[in-house]
């Protein structure tokens, strides 16, 4: 799942990013509210971890800039502000959950996963395509009930193509959506990534599931 982490403390931001990536999230980071708003306008996120005391635009301002509706990401506020009035203001502005610093990282993960389990009106939690099942909440993919041993990035690419069946994604688009916008990995690595994913799908009996559209990219029809 793709997550935006908005935190002005560089030390905490880097620590959280490493922990969240280790837990299987694709993470972008922003250090102020204006940068966060730009990310949210340009990319699609499943979850946002948001500090309130931010430079340029505070967290409440970021919350109020989010669109209403099913495509809106779930937002967990992570703040040193511990007053009831702070919680009420953030929740009224659109936050889905609120945690106070200092905090337990394990609890943060549990709350994020709980938010991710909340059903979205626009798409099912588990995506199915013939014998293939892809479950983003349990990070599990299977063919006819047999598990597919995928790396986190292979899992993300497969989910991206399943969510948008019929749409071709270029290498650059796949890289942005599965490795984070600040990744220094070359988009050439996407070729290797898709090759490995195809081999695993072929071995599971799903030959030709991912097609290459010349000049457009990769697609699951």
């Amino acid at each position: 799942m793709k997550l935006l982490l908005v935190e002005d403390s560089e030390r905490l931001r880097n620590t959280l990013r490493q922990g969240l990536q280790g837990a299987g999230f694709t993470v972008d980071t922003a250090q102020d509210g204006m940068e966060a708003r730009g990310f949210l306008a340009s990319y699609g996120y499943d979850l946002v971890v948001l500090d309130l005391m931010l430079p340029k635009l505070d967290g409440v301002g970021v919350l109020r800039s989010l669109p209403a509706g099913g495509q809106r990401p779930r937002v967990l506020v992570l703040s040193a502000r511990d007053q009831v009035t702070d919680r009420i203001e953030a929740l009224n502005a659109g936050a889905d959950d609120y945690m106070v610093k200092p905090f337990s990282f394990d609890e943060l993960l549990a709350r994020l996963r709980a938010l991710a389990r909340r059903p979205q009106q626009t798409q099912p939690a588990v995506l199915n395509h013939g014998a293939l099942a892809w479950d983003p909440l349990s990070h599990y993919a299977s063919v006819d009930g047999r598990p597919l041993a995928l790396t986190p990035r292979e899992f993300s690419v497969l989910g991206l193509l399943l969510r948008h069946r019929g749409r071709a994604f270029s290498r650059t688009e796949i890289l942005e959506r599965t490795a984070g916008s600040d990744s220094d990995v070359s988009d050439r690595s996407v070729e290797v990534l898709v090759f490995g994913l195809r081999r695993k799908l072929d071995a599971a009996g799903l030959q030709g599931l991912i097609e290459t559209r010349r000049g457009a990219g990769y697609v699951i029809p």
Side-chain angles (χ1 to χ4, degrees):
M1 303 193 80
K2 189 154 186 178
L3 180 149
L4 177 63
L5 170 62
V6 190
E7 169 61 55
D8 63 334
S9 166
E10 182 178 6
R11 181 177 179 181
L12 179 57
R13 188 170 64 246
N14 291 337
T15 299
L16 281 176
R17 177 176 59 187
Q18 292 174 5
L20 292 167
Q21 287 174 335
F25 293 97
T26 299
V27 181
D28 284 340
T29 62
Q31 61 185 350
D32 61 64
M34 293 301 293
E35 186 179 21
R37 193 165 70 174
F39 272 111
L40 289 164
S42 301
Y43 304 101
Y45 294 95
D46 303 294
L47 296 164
V48 179
V49 176
L50 177 68
D51 191 11
L52 289 183
M53 295 183 288
L54 296 168
K56 299 184 181 179
L57 178 69
D58 67 11
V60 172
V62 174
L63 284 167
R64 288 174 176 159
S65 71
L66 290 170
Q71 292 292 343
R72 179 186 176 281
R74 306 295 189 187
V75 181
L76 184 149
V77 168
L78 185 62
S79 176
R81 294 181 180 176
D82 60 356
Q83 299 300 306
V84 173
T85 53
D86 297 319
R87 297 170 187 259
I88 291 173
E89 182 181 26
L91 293 169
N92 284 341
D96 297 284
D97 199 357
Y98 195 110
M99 285 185 67
V100 175
K101 300 173 183 176
F103 61 96
S104 159
F105 182 73
D106 288 340
E107 182 182 359
L108 174 65
L109 280 182
R111 291 200 186 197
L112 288 172
R113 287 168 176 157
L115 287 179
R117 286 193 296 270
R118 292 187 184 179
Q120 292 280 1
Q121 298 176 353
T122 54
Q123 64 183 29
V126 179
L127 300 180
N128 295 283
H129 183 46
L132 174 65
W134 183 89
D135 185 351
L137 303 184
S138 63
H139 207 78
Y140 181 83
S142 63
V143 178
D144 282 329
R146 299 186 301 273
L148 276 173
L150 303 180
T151 67
R153 288 191 64 204
E154 288 171 345
F155 184 84
S156 295
V157 170
L158 181 59
L160 175 66
L161 298 178
L162 282 173
R163 279 184 171 132
H164 303 277
R165 282 181 55 197
R167 176 186 167 185
F169 285 85
S170 69
R171 292 180 310 202
T172 300
E173 288 176 313
I174 289 174
L175 186 66
E176 287 177 347
R177 290 172 178 250
T178 63
S181 63
D182 60 350
S183 172
D184 57 2
V185 180
S186 166
D187 66 354
R188 291 284 180 182
S189 69
V190 174
E191 293 181 13
V192 178
L193 180 65
V194 173
F195 177 78
L197 176 57
R198 279 173 164 161
R199 287 186 62 184
K200 293 178 181 180
L201 292 170
D202 289 349
L206 298 178
Q207 291 86 358
L209 179 67
I210 300 175
E211 296 182 1
T212 301
R213 300 276 172 85
R214 182 166 296 185
Y218 302 105
V219 61
I220 293 180

